[in-house]
Amino acid sequence: MQAIVGMLPPFYTARYVEVHNPLLSLVWFLMGLGIVVYTLVHSLLGQHNYVHREQPNIDVTFWQDRATDGNWWPQSDGQKPEYCGIAFKAASKTDNTSWGSDAIGCQRPGDRPGTYFYPSSNEIQIAFSVAFGTDPQFNTSDIYVYERIEDSTVGLQLSYITSRQHVAHVPNCRVIGDEEHPDGNSITSRYGTLFPSKDYGDGYLILSVHDVLKAAGRNLSGTGSEGPLILTGLEIVAKFDVRNYHTAFRWPFETWNPFGFVPASDLECTVRFEVLRDQFTPLQWFYHGVEPMALQHGLRLVAVGTGSIGYFSFVELIEKLLLGVAAFSLAQAVSSGSVLLPPSRPPLPRSPLP
């Protein structure tokens, strides 16, 4: 016990008076040790500062897939959607044009050949309606909406590349909502229902057009800024986020995990849908020679992505450990006061006056 007491640094009061009290010295020592250990644990396990982080370049691939009933095109259940036969007219007196009709009919996409989905890099366009005529954008009454187009599905596949690796498919992306549109939290991928044998692989994200609109707080029975959404269309942005080593106190080692804890290196992919604009959104023009003959309006879905990918780094780990050791040594030096805070000496006595 005497040996341990001798190793403890002396305790100093606010006036730098040295007090050799083993209990106070022990408390002072444990407080410094606790602060350093807490800071080190929080830095390493809470914030995962032992990893090297990179910002990935993200790419999203879209494609059309089966409808929610398992067929390629949605089949009729005998009941017409409420938007079949709607009345809508937008007239302009200045140039004497009118767009719309008192009863806009429906066409089923599977009844006639045509193109309704237009995927490209980080974007897909889905036609909701078609207008025929020599001026299909501003002056026509020959308009149709595509019946049950909202029951068609869209596949979304996220890939990324960093300086260390290229991942062609990030599995198990999930839809999330926010305070304005919390319905996004209830939307799940339809991949397991439509493909129970996992034809593509594991963890693909397949959503119906209705799911995308619901996650953004809209539906095809609603109205946008310029008219019914089934006629005007809209633009929606899909905000993807992929990251790892972001959840505090997950298991830090990827190769050694005897207890089966969730590794901090597991990727988490989320997507949130937001409306950019809900005005008339022209998608595809059709021409006879050079003369326009038809125009499709619909949904333009654009993907953007952010993320943070971490890689376990011994260099980062050793750096943080050395910083912790240095902080502990500094705390001990300050607590001992032998160098930085020497005890004050009593004033020198004055010589008597003659």
Side-chain angles (χ1 to χ4, degrees), residues 19-352:
V19 179
H20 288 278
N21 187 314
L23 179 60
L24 293 178
S25 297
L26 180 61
V27 171
W28 188 253
F29 173 80
L30 293 178
M31 287 179 59
L33 180 62
I35 293 174
V36 173
V37 170
Y38 172 79
T39 304
L40 194 61
V41 170
H42 180 71
S43 175
L44 292 180
L45 300 182
Q47 299 179 343
H48 301 290
N49 286 333
Y50 52 87
V51 300
H52 168 72
R53 302 182 186 274
E54 293 189 16
Q55 185 173 357
N57 293 323
I58 295 176
D59 186 75
V60 179
T61 303
F62 293 96
W63 69 90
Q64 178 192 3
D65 221 304
R66 299 177 186 176
T68 56
D69 58 8
N71 300 292
W72 185 250
W73 292 112
Q75 301 300 309
S76 176
D77 58 359
Q79 296 181 353
K80 289 289 186 180
E82 59 184 26
Y83 51 72
C84 289
I86 61 172
F88 175 78
K89 278 188 177 182
S92 174
K93 296 181 180 180
T94 57
D95 50 7
N96 197 25
T97 58
S98 175
W99 194 96
S101 173
D102 293 331
I104 298 176
C106 284
Q107 288 184 356
R108 294 184 64 247
D111 290 345
R112 61 174 60 188
T115 305
Y116 309 92
F117 288 75
Y118 303 90
S120 60
S121 177
N122 295 313
E123 180 181 326
I124 188 171
Q125 299 178 2
I126 306 171
F128 288 170
S129 64
V130 59
F132 298 94
T134 57
D135 187 6
Q137 187 173 11
F138 299 107
N139 190 25
T140 184
S141 60
D142 192 8
I143 305 170
Y144 299 90
V145 297
Y146 295 132
E147 182 179 345
R148 299 197 180 280
I149 193 68
E150 68 273 17
D151 292 332
S152 296
T153 64
V154 177
L156 305 91
Q157 179 179 347
L158 183 141
S159 60
Y160 71 84
I161 186 172
T162 66
S163 64
R164 299 192 180 190
Q165 67 176 157
H166 170 245
V167 177
H169 168 55
V170 177
N172 302 319
C173 286
R174 58 186 180 89
V175 182
I176 61 174
D178 51 26
E179 294 181 357
E180 186 177 359
H181 306 301
D183 290 340
N185 296 319
S186 63
I187 295 174
T188 59
S189 175
R190 297 179 180 267
Y191 180 64
T193 303
L194 297 177
F195 301 93
S197 59
K198 299 182 180 180
D199 298 358
Y200 301 155
D202 292 327
Y204 278 82
L205 180 62
I206 293 183
L207 304 173
S208 68
V209 176
H210 174 75
D211 293 336
V212 174
L213 294 174
K214 181 180 178 181
R218 302 300 177 95
N219 60 77
L220 285 187
S221 300
T223 302
S225 300
E226 297 182 339
L229 291 178
I230 188 65
L231 293 175
T232 65
L234 72 167
E235 293 186 21
I236 294 178
V237 58
K239 296 183 176 180
F240 283 86
D241 182 81
V242 57
R243 60 186 64 244
N244 62 358
Y245 290 104
H246 63 290
T247 304
F249 302 108
R250 279 190 174 180
W251 187 254
F253 305 109
E254 185 175 2
T255 57
W256 183 70
N257 190 355
F259 305 103
F261 294 141
V262 178
S265 59
D266 283 359
L267 292 174
E268 181 178 1
C269 173
T270 59
V271 58
R272 186 173 70 253
F273 296 94
E274 294 183 4
V275 176
L276 288 179
R277 58 189 298 273
D278 57 1
Q279 300 169 325
F280 273 98
T281 306
L283 299 184
Q284 293 293 325
W285 285 85
F286 299 90
Y287 295 87
H288 180 71
V290 295
E291 296 295 329
M293 58 175 296
L295 171 63
Q296 289 176 329
H297 294 87
L299 168 66
R300 178 178 288 113
L301 181 60
V302 182
V304 297
T306 59
S308 174
I309 305 299
Y311 301 94
F312 187 90
S313 173
F314 281 104
V315 175
E316 298 287 342
L317 176 60
I318 293 174
E319 178 184 344
K320 299 305 183 296
L321 291 176
L322 291 178
L323 287 176
V325 172
F328 180 75
S329 301
L330 179 62
Q332 290 302 103
V334 173
S335 65
S336 65
S338 59
V339 178
L340 298 179
L341 298 176
S344 59
R345 294 179 297 178
L348 298 174
R350 296 181 179 179
S351 59

